[in-house]
Amino acid sequence: MSPALFVELLLGGVVVGGLYALMAFSFSLILATTHVLNVAHGVFMVLGAAAATLLVRHVGVALVPAFVLVATAFLVLGTLVYMALVRPLGARPPEQILVGSILVTFGLALAAEALLGFYWARLIEPQPIFALAPRVASLSLGPVVVSGPRAVALLFTAGAVAVLHLLLVRTRIGKEARAVAQNATGARIIGLEPSRVATAVLTVGIMLAALSGAVFVLAIPLTPYEGLRLTMIAFTVSAAGGVGNLPGALAAGVALGVAEVFTGYWVGAVWSPMTSLLVLFGVLLWRPVALVGGAGR
Amino acid sequence: MEEPAVVTRGLTKRYGDLVAVDHLDLELHRGEIFGLLGPNGAGKTTTLRAIHGIVPAASGEIVYAGRRLHGLSPAVRVRLGLGLVPEGRELFPAMSVEDHLELGFVTGRGRRLAEARDEVYTLFPRLAERRRQAAGSLSGGEQQMLAIGRALMATPALLMLDEPSLGLAPRVVDQVYDTLAALNRRGLTLVLVEQHVYEALALAHRAYIMTSGEITLHGPAAEVRERPELRTSYLAV
């Protein structure tokens, strides 16, 4: 393998992995603060990709306004999901919320996938594929050339990680979210409102998943039925990187993205989705409580 | 006599078949240190948690400063001036001392964040030295100081402390108790739940001894201390 190809593949892995990390971190922060295991999380990523594709390719909105619209729409959708599906679970014990949320969001995921696939094929194009092909100039960093879409994806990931970090470390609501993730009882005792934190984390988390999806299809196309596979990736990254742990999610996401790309190159593209499942098996064998352990670092 | 700080009437809490608190009638007076004492499993922690709202009472009434607390969330009760330093401290292990104090702060109780924080640091200079350190890396005594400091940030009128001496070296317990006495001299009403009956009776003004969810003995702390039944009721379980 030539060094140029190696760098090319590595970069591709980092781009994909960074977006996996963002999506997985929002998934695990929701899990840590609300005990909601959002099986539909990957589906929101696909829905974000679909919404961006619709706006850019079929309505003719420019890329940046389209992303702003997607973010706004999914903040609203996230609030609705919270009010319709999560708030009714109320102050039940965590195990009941966990199990209840798996069932409810699994149903939501299946319904959303089916509706999206069906109506997109019927109303927009017969073979639904979500992809954006923006004309963005490529970036030259010495001998390495980064394609425009990849550069946008990398910038988006870096920006989103920085914003998330600042939100969690500097703002009151971010600190409240970390407190609830680390010790929900302690948080209630000092008068924090878990429902306030849950609303914020769930809406921002769903918005982030959708936005990651919109950016994802700058580099790699998605189809309507990939949501649950992406949720499994969120699982894997959260288990490997630690629930509610941003640096951990970033490391695990990037490692997984790179592993997928190299598996695809060496073994064959059909095998790359297997990578995340093998990693998940490995992590769960090594640390069976990975998904329910401590959180919110 | 002035209006009591907290009154409970017929307070009952069950966990399945187990009656943790059985028709409890309490009366706490403003400005006093009130000892709620008794052996393990007597229902003391449940009583505090029911007053604070973190566990809902099954039946009965809790009145604080003339207001019925029924149906109010812990967040509202904290804003009304009820504070709890829970058993086991319930800190956020990966967050700094400073973050704990900031999270404990409640607006609208007449103090600014910086003011409240400086007061806690004056009370516990050790916390000021450790302000950037994660709570999980503090010693047991420092964690207890942080739990008390965090509760004080909300400017409580009544502070309930659940086993503040648990797991601490005797020297540190003395320190914590001295601080509590100082806080009380400034007008803070304190409820002290302890298994270490005699130490707590030395600090408290009045005490109730609780066994199996009921009050078995009560009165001024100095009198309760001398009562022969103290030993029997304490050993009855």
Side-chain angles (χ1 to χ4, degrees):
Chain A
M1 183 189 287
S2 71
L5 179 61
F6 179 79
V7 171
E8 171 77 16
L9 289 175
L10 191 66
L11 203 61
V14 171
V15 167
V16 171
L19 293 168
Y20 283 171
L22 276 184
M23 189 257 306
F25 178 68
S26 50
F27 167 86
S28 75
L29 195 62
I30 292 173
L31 178 63
T33 51
T34 65
H35 304 290
V36 167
L37 197 154
N38 183 15
V39 180
H41 209 68
V43 177
F44 284 112
M45 193 173 169
V46 173
L47 286 173
T53 307
L54 183 71
L55 288 170
V56 174
R57 302 236 329 238
H58 301 279
V59 181
V61 182
L63 204 61
V64 173
F67 281 11
V68 173
L69 279 175
V70 169
T72 317
F74 280 84
L75 274 179
V76 175
L77 190 66
T79 315
L80 291 178
V81 168
Y82 171 75
M83 290 195 298
L85 302 181
V86 179
R87 201 169 57 180
L89 294 170
R92 287 171 192 274
E95 317 80 63
Q96 281 185 24
I97 295 183
L98 186 71
V99 175
S101 67
I102 291 175
L103 294 174
V104 167
T105 56
F106 191 44
L108 178 71
L110 292 179
E113 274 194 359
L115 287 171
L116 177 66
F118 179 75
Y119 282 105
W120 194 281
R122 209 170 139 179
L123 302 174
I124 297 169
E125 51 187 353
Q127 292 292 331
I129 288 182
F130 312 127
L132 299 172
R135 279 191 294 270
V136 187
S138 46
L139 200 69
S140 297
L141 301 166
V144 184
V145 178
V146 187
S147 74
R150 278 185 176 180
V152 171
L154 281 175
L155 280 176
F156 168 78
T157 307
V161 167
V163 169
L164 270 178
H165 176 76
L166 288 177
L167 270 178
L168 287 169
V169 174
R170 292 282 163 80
T171 67
R172 169 87 191 184
I173 186 73
K175 287 180 185 182
E176 287 187 12
R178 282 161 63 215
V180 170
Q182 286 173 35
N183 185 346
T185 307
R188 287 184 63 215
I189 282 172
I190 60 170
L192 303 186
E193 306 259 18
S195 63
R196 192 176 106 89
V197 171
T199 320
V201 170
L202 212 86
T203 48
V204 172
I206 285 176
M207 186 269 278
L208 201 59
L211 217 46
S212 318
V215 176
F216 193 84
V217 291
L218 284 172
I220 297 172
L222 285 172
T223 66
Y225 305 103
E226 286 184 89
L228 292 175
R229 176 179 76 78
L230 292 167
T231 301
M232 285 310 289
I233 285 172
F235 246 90
T236 309
V237 171
S238 308
V243 171
N245 181 346
L246 185 56
L250 207 56
V254 168
L256 185 64
V258 170
E260 270 193 2
V261 169
F262 278 92
T263 307
Y265 176 77
W266 277 316
V267 192
V270 287
W271 290 98
S272 65
M274 280 295 290
T275 321
S276 70
L277 291 180
L278 284 175
V279 173
L280 181 60
F281 283 142
V283 171
L284 291 182
L285 279 176
W286 165 54
R287 231 168 36 143
V289 293
L291 271 173
V292 288
R297 256 131 256 272
Chain B
M1 191 166 193
E2 69 171 319
E3 181 190 3
V6 170
V7 180
T8 74
R9 290 188 204 101
L11 184 70
T12 302
K13 174 69 189 173
R14 296 187 187 83
Y15 294 104
D17 288 339
L18 179 82
V19 183
V21 178
D22 195 5
H23 293 90
L24 187 71
D25 297 327
L26 286 182
E27 210 178 286
L28 318 186
H29 301 153
R30 217 174 276 173
E32 73 178 347
I33 301 180
F34 179 87
L36 186 59
L37 313 170
N40 205 0
K44 310 181 300 291
T45 293
T46 305
T47 304
L48 287 199
R49 291 189 167 222
I51 295 174
H52 186 266
I54 195 95
V55 300
S59 61
E61 201 178 47
I62 303 164
V63 179
Y64 165 71
R67 182 171 176 169
R68 288 190 67 218
L69 295 183
H70 182 79
L72 299 181
S73 71
V76 174
R77 298 185 198 200
V78 168
R79 273 168 187 73
L80 289 174
L82 281 171
L84 174 65
V85 178
E87 188 181 0
R89 297 150 203 156
E90 304 282 6
L91 299 173
F92 314 118
M95 296 182 80
S96 69
V97 167
E98 195 115 321
D99 282 344
H100 276 79
L101 299 186
E102 192 188 323
L103 285 169
F105 181 70
V106 168
T107 49
R109 292 197 54 79
R111 289 195 306 175
R112 285 180 303 124
L113 171 67
E115 249 175 281
R117 192 168 50 203
D118 289 348
E119 230 169 89
V120 169
Y121 285 152
T122 314
L123 212 51
F124 301 111
R126 198 56 175 274
L127 292 181
E129 292 165 24
R130 302 261 189 272
R131 63 175 74 197
R132 303 225 178 280
Q133 211 168 310
S137 68
L138 300 176
S139 72
E142 289 163 352
Q143 287 189 2
Q144 192 59 57
M145 292 172 196
L146 181 55
I148 296 171
R150 182 179 68 172
L152 289 175
M153 288 299 289
T155 323
L158 176 105
L159 186 62
M160 302 179 278
L161 299 111
D162 198 350
E163 306 276 3
S165 68
L166 200 69
L168 301 186
R171 198 171 48 83
V172 184
V173 175
D174 289 346
Q175 244 176 354
V176 169
Y177 272 30
D178 286 348
T179 310
L180 294 180
L183 285 169
N184 174 252
R185 281 194 295 274
R186 287 197 229 156
L188 183 62
T189 310
L190 294 174
V191 181
L192 189 62
V193 156
E194 278 286 6
Q195 287 185 50
H196 300 294
V197 171
Y198 288 98
E199 288 87 337
L201 283 174
L203 182 68
H205 304 129
R206 274 189 327 127
Y208 279 39
I209 306 293
M210 212 175 161
T211 323
S212 307
E214 292 171 355
I215 299 299
T216 46
L217 200 62
H218 66 93
E223 279 176 30
V224 170
R225 203 180 155 92
E226 301 307 322
R227 294 272 282 271
E229 309 98 285
L230 178 61
R231 186 164 285 271
T232 47
S233 77
Y234 192 59
L235 295 174
V237 172

